[in-house]
Structure formats: C-alpha cells, structure tokens
Amino acid sequence: MTQASRPWRNNNPGDLRTLPLPGKWFGQSGVDTAPGGPFAIFTTPQQGWRALAMNLLAYQDVHHLRTIRGIIGRFAPSLENDTGGYVSLVSAKTGSGPDDTIDVHQPSVMLPLVSAIALAEGGHLAWDENAKIVGVYTALNLPPPTDIQEV
C-alpha cells in the first residue's frame, strides 16, 4: 500500500470504522464511505493512534480479551479478513505468542501492538513515530516520554 491508501488519507492507522451514530471517535472529523466502510477520518494521525489504542483498551477492559488471538479475532473478524494470517503477523511483530496473556495498559505492549495492526491494515506507511507515541500515551492517560516532542 502507498501513502495514498485509505488509512493514510484518513489519518486512521487502524482503519477503524465509525462508531454507531450518534457516536464519534475523539478527533474524528469525517466519514469515509468507501466500500467496506464507513471508516473514521481523523483530523491528525495522533488522534487516529489514540483511537486505535482506546479501542484496544476497551477490548481488554470491557470484552476481557487479553491475547493477540482474542483481540485480533474481534478486530479483524474472519468474515472480512484472513484472521489467522493477521494473528500470525501481529504475533511475529510483537514477539508475543497468539495465546500469551498481554496487558495493553503497558506502553511496552501497546506500542508494538498498534504498530503491527497499522502494518496489517495499511502496509509500510511512513507514520510519524512521535504522533504514534503521543497518541498511545494519551490513550493510556500517561505523560509521553520526555524525549518525545508534542505533535
């Protein structure tokens, strides 16, 4: 995929769908009605990263999903995706086994997880690392590391 891909155009590294009306993701500025959608459009990539992290936090806290297999099974269901391949990719990129218990509240877990999901959703896009880190830390309600500049 290229930087003209839908996740890139929409500042939406997780290619998140919109929330049920009247809900909107924080930072959502529009709706992309492309086939398979509707997909959320975010004002900035940082807000897209934050939304992806918030979604994964809900998977753990509300739906009690604590493994890559469980999280990806919900995030990328087999009706629309090669879920097994997706799980394998995310496991390889995060270093966690498909059925290992993970805690997405830990930045050391969340950052590689959102990176792997963005890779699966949009390919090798040139996402700004600072935007990703600030978005994830914001979702985790933590101050970003001191060497990261606010974007």
Side-chain angles (χ1 to χ4, degrees), residues 104-116:
V104 298
H105 287 274
Q106 302 305 313
S108 62
V109 172
M110 181 69 87
L111 285 165
L113 181 58
V114 298
S115 295

Side-chain angles (χ1 to χ4, degrees), residues 6 14-15 17 36 39 71-87 117 120-121:
R6 183 177 56 233
D15 211 22
R17 296 180 188 278
F39 299 95
I71 290 167
I72 298 305
R74 183 172 178 99
F75 188 85
S78 60
L79 290 172
E80 304 168 10
N81 300 276
D82 171 10
T83 305
Y86 205 129
V87 168
I117 288 172
E121 293 294 332

Side-chain angles (χ1 to χ4, degrees), residues 10 35 38 56 69 82 126:
N10 293 343
L56 299 175
R69 188 181 314 279
D82 171 10

